[in-house]
Amino acid sequence: MILNAGMLSSGGVDMEYIRLEDVWKTYRTKNVTATPLRGLNMNVDKGELVVVLGPSGEGKTTLLRIIAGLLRQDKGHVYLRGELVDDMPPKDRRVAMVFQSYAIYPFMNVYDNIAFPLRLAHRPKDEIDREVRRVAEMLRISDILQKKPSELSGGQKQRVAIAKALVKGADILLMDEPMANLDAQVRVFAREELKQLHRQLGTTIVYVTHDQVEALSLATKLAVLHDGVIQDFGDPMEVYRRPKNAWVASFVGNPPMNLFDGVVSGNYIVAKKGKLRVPVPEEYRKLVKEGQEVIFGFRPEDIRVGEGELSGTVSMVERVGAYTVIHLDMGDGQLLRVVYPSLSTVNRGDRVSFSVPAEAVSLYDPSTGNNLEQRR
């Protein structure tokens, strides 16, 4: 299930602004050895906002620190703007990191926070003032330069952190879950702020998160990290609709894709357990043969409730506001997730009929987990 994200990038070689080539990183302590990155490949084109999505502990922060030069990879190479930077110190990479805490000093006002990196570099006073006001105007925070961080909203703090990065001349921003500490409602506005900023500035951003809503709503390209490699890479909705492998299908989406073991029988795939069968999609018909074992999957929201010959018994109901997730018992312990209208009345024990449209079905190889029809 290992994919080379570099091979999947949409841009040409001359557009690659960040390239990670066969990058490995191992941490060794007295009792534990962990290898979060295992031959990772990824290309980021200039001006993209690439979100790296993955479970906690999968090496997302390690990836950022290697790009920034704060960590040295054990094997492989890092290229920035077409230049090999393996031996280049962090201060010369023109890369800046934005953390969960935003690294804003609470005792300084916004002006002094932005000016701080330039003062450390002993820049002339008039140059510092000119640069602070330039980035403040660019980020539309000129009116809050005299405020303290305690007086700022989450989105304003994010802009101040980005201003500190830009004032140092960084044109690559690495963002390590910067919205993790924000309340859910504030996070929505902060995400929109960041999207607008990215469109305005065109800065190249690599943003890591374990939050799927954040990833799908922010990314111009989505990279899914697991087992030390990029499992899938591309347009966020392409990754969502046609995952490259079964692991991505099981991880991306809330609720995730329904996945079952099945066998091809005529124009249908029949589940090995239970009474579920779905049509073979047109695009897969030349890729499968009679009796072939496959993993088949479809999104819970693609199921057409109240029509068709299939049916199951409601075993659990999860009301989550905008929609309801019901779990249908298909027999032999097979459970099927269905997204149901939030205002509909459905209870445990009800019998629900449904159908699965052929265009919603994806097929995977049981031995590799890979989608039988790879995206272009």
Side-chain angles (χ1 to χ4, degrees):
M1 293 194 293
I2 295 176
L3 300 172
N4 184 330
M7 296 173 65
L8 299 169
S9 176
S10 62
V13 173
D14 59 344
M15 287 292 292
E16 293 169 1
Y17 222 52
I18 303 170
R19 178 153 61 99
L20 303 176
E21 187 178 276
D22 196 29
V23 169
W24 289 74
K25 183 61 184 178
T26 298
Y27 295 102
R28 293 181 176 85
T29 63
K30 186 176 181 180
N31 300 316
V32 178
T33 298
T35 306
L37 302 183
R38 308 181 182 198
L40 182 143
N41 295 278
M42 186 172 76
N43 292 349
V44 177
D45 291 346
K46 184 176 183 179
E48 283 188 330
L49 197 170
V50 172
V51 177
V52 181
L53 173 68
S56 297
E58 289 278 1
K60 300 186 296 295
T61 298
T62 297
L63 172 62
L64 293 189
R65 290 172 66 83
I66 286 174
I67 295 173
L70 302 175
L71 275 179
R72 176 70 184 251
Q73 69 272 19
D74 299 321
K75 289 192 290 185
H77 302 289
V78 178
Y79 296 84
L80 298 180
R81 310 171 193 88
E83 180 182 1
L84 182 66
V85 297
D86 291 345
D87 298 318
M88 184 181 290
K91 65 181 180 64
D92 296 330
R93 295 193 181 195
R94 286 192 291 132
V95 171
M97 288 190 72
V98 178
F99 302 92
Q100 287 185 27
S101 65
Y102 297 124
I104 299 174
Y105 300 109
F107 52 87
M108 292 183 183
N109 63 20
V110 170
Y111 183 101
D112 290 334
N113 264 285
I114 299 172
F116 188 70
L118 299 179
R119 288 171 178 158
L120 279 181
H122 304 293
R123 299 285 184 84
K125 192 172 181 178
D126 59 338
E127 180 185 336
I128 292 173
D129 185 69
R130 183 172 63 251
E131 288 301 303
V132 169
R133 296 189 184 280
R134 179 183 66 83
V135 297
E137 183 177 353
M138 184 189 307
L139 296 171
R140 303 196 305 277
I141 54 174
S142 298
D143 58 334
I144 62 169
L145 289 176
Q146 300 308 314
K147 290 187 176 182
K148 294 287 186 66
S150 60
E151 302 174 79
L152 306 181
S153 68
Q156 288 172 327
K157 289 178 182 177
Q158 181 175 263
R159 285 173 177 260
V160 174
I162 292 172
K164 287 182 66 178
L166 296 179
V167 82
K168 294 187 294 184
D171 62 349
I172 295 174
L173 295 184
L174 308 177
M175 308 189 79
D176 190 3
E177 304 209 47
M179 301 181 200
N181 295 331
L182 301 180
D183 293 336
Q185 190 172 11
V186 176
R187 199 178 303 168
V188 173
F189 291 107
R191 282 201 301 266
E192 186 57 33
E193 285 265 308
L194 181 58
K195 284 194 287 187
Q196 290 182 13
L197 275 176
H198 178 252
R199 285 193 291 266
Q200 175 189 349
L201 301 176
T203 305
T204 305
I205 300 174
V206 180
Y207 184 113
V208 305
T209 183
H210 65 275
D211 185 308
Q212 299 200 22
V213 173
E214 207 163 87
L216 291 170
S217 64
L218 276 177
T220 60
K221 290 286 172 58
L222 179 63
V224 185
L225 177 61
H226 175 61
D227 275 347
V229 296
I230 301 298
Q231 300 281 344
D232 204 343
F233 185 90
D235 177 88
M237 293 315 297
E238 285 187 356
V239 172
Y240 182 81
R241 299 306 310 171
R242 274 286 192 267
K244 286 285 185 180
N245 61 54
W247 185 88
V248 175
S250 70
F251 177 70
V252 176
N254 185 23
M257 184 178 283
N258 291 296
L259 293 171
F260 302 95
D261 294 322
V263 177
V264 177
S265 177
N267 290 327
Y268 290 88
I269 302 142
V270 180
K272 290 185 177 181
K273 294 182 180 180
K275 300 177 181 179
L276 180 63
R277 74 172 192 167
V278 298
V280 176
E282 182 68 34
E283 60 268 30
Y284 287 99
R285 289 189 176 175
K286 293 182 179 180
L287 303 176
V288 297
K289 59 185 179 181
E290 183 73 18
Q292 180 177 340
E293 294 187 352
V294 295
I295 297 171
F296 66 99
F298 47 89
R299 292 284 177 195
E301 64 269 26
D302 289 331
I303 296 170
R304 294 173 181 168
V305 179
E307 62 176 71
E309 300 177 353
L310 298 171
S311 64
T313 302
V314 177
S315 63
M316 186 167 68
V317 179
E318 298 176 275
R319 302 190 190 279
V320 292
Y323 58 88
T324 295
V325 180
I326 61 174
H327 297 246
L328 295 183
D329 188 343
M330 301 300 298
D332 294 333
Q334 292 284 69
L335 293 178
L336 175 73
R337 302 181 197 87
V338 182
V339 170
Y340 211 68
S342 61
L343 298 179
S344 300
T345 301
V346 62
N347 298 295
R348 187 173 179 179
D350 289 352
R351 195 77 182 169
V352 173
S353 62
F354 67 92
S355 66
V356 180
E359 61 270 19
V361 177
S362 294
L363 303 183
Y364 301 93
D365 184 329
S367 61
T368 65
N370 291 334
N371 196 319
L372 295 180
E373 187 204 37
Q374 293 296 308
R375 294 194 315 265
R376 293 181 181 180

